[in-house]
Amino acid sequence: LVAEALHTHSQRKDGPIVVFDCSAVAPNLIESELFGHLKGAFTGATGTRAGAFERAHGGTLFLDELGELPLDLQPKLLRALEKREVKPVGGDRPISTDVRVVAATNRNLQKEVESGQFRQDLYYRLAVIRVRLPSLRRRPDDIPLLVRHFLAEAAGTRGLTVSFDTMEQLKRHSWPGNVRELRNYIERAAVL
């Protein structure tokens, strides 16, 4: 939601926002998914495919779960950020990209750098502006806004509402799963 808000309220709002979840792609496919590939670059590459950087050109690339990016791919990401260009798998000509990169992780990347699990140069390249989001239980005043947003998404035009007492109960809950747990709860309630 923060990445979407940053994109929506920026000069890049007319460009695309592309979400790339570093934890949801098999490690052997991440390079192809980020930078694209040419037809025949590997077994199964039956056509040329633009990567996330190229698809986000002129807009925002949101790298979710960045801490899950394998160490051997981090130099390639750093190179793409530094040079503002990517080289598709199987290609020899770079493609210029103009993207704003927003990254998120639940890991402490400073500790990951200290332990050698995350490249220091990549960390400092990405940590230009850091936004720390406290857990949902530490910001109960955000819950009514989030509930209304998720309810509107889940209920569509049915006009479902939440009573004052229910909202107060939601604000008191500890939400160990944070915003994802709240979203699931609201979606389930809207369906039932």
Side-chain angles (χ1 to χ4, degrees):
L1 291 174
V2 172
E4 288 176 11
L6 288 170
H7 176 76
T8 302
H9 298 287
S10 74
Q11 293 179 352
R12 293 178 178 268
K13 66 184 173 204
D14 294 328
I17 180 167
V18 175
V19 177
F20 182 80
D21 187 340
C22 297
S23 68
V25 178
N28 61 329
L29 295 177
I30 290 178
E31 185 175 3
S32 169
E33 292 294 318
L34 274 176
F35 309 129
H37 65 259
L38 300 182
K39 180 178 179 178
F42 52 85
T43 304
T46 57
T48 297
R49 185 171 193 281
F53 271 89
E54 192 175 351
R55 292 192 317 272
H57 184 76
T60 302
L61 174 59
F62 175 46
L63 299 175
D64 198 10
E65 300 297 346
L66 178 70
E68 305 301 320
L69 187 68
L71 196 56
D72 62 322
L73 290 175
Q74 293 176 21
K76 294 176 182 182
L77 176 58
L78 178 64
R79 193 174 319 115
L81 295 171
E82 291 289 335
K83 294 189 174 257
R84 298 176 188 248
E85 63 185 24
V86 295
K87 193 175 350 175
V89 175
D92 56 1
R93 292 183 23 212
I95 298 171
S96 293
T97 59
D98 173 24
V99 299
R100 170 197 294 119
V101 174
V102 177
T105 184
N106 62 354
R107 294 183 182 221
N108 182 331
L109 288 186
Q110 289 177 320
K111 287 186 179 177
E112 298 283 322
V113 167
E114 291 169 11
S115 69
Q117 298 301 307
F118 199 85
R119 289 181 58 107
Q120 183 178 36
D121 49 1
L122 179 57
Y123 171 76
Y124 285 117
R125 180 64 181 95
L126 288 167
V128 177
I129 296 174
R130 292 186 292 172
V131 177
R132 293 187 192 273
L133 291 179
S135 63
L136 190 54
R137 71 180 156 273
R138 293 184 180 205
R139 47 192 175 98
D141 291 341
D142 288 355
I143 290 174
L145 179 65
L146 290 167
V147 166
R148 285 191 291 277
H149 173 76
F150 296 146
L151 196 56
E153 282 183 344
T157 59
R158 290 187 291 157
L160 298 178
T161 60
V162 175
S163 72
F164 177 82
D165 289 340
T166 301
M167 190 67 76
E168 290 303 307
Q169 287 179 333
L170 293 173
K171 287 169 68 174
R172 285 192 300 271
H173 185 69
S174 66
W175 300 109
N178 281 309
V179 175
R180 285 186 180 106
E181 182 184 4
L182 177 63
R183 178 192 295 252
N184 289 341
Y185 181 85
I186 298 301
E187 287 175 356
R188 183 172 52 249
V191 167
L192 296 175

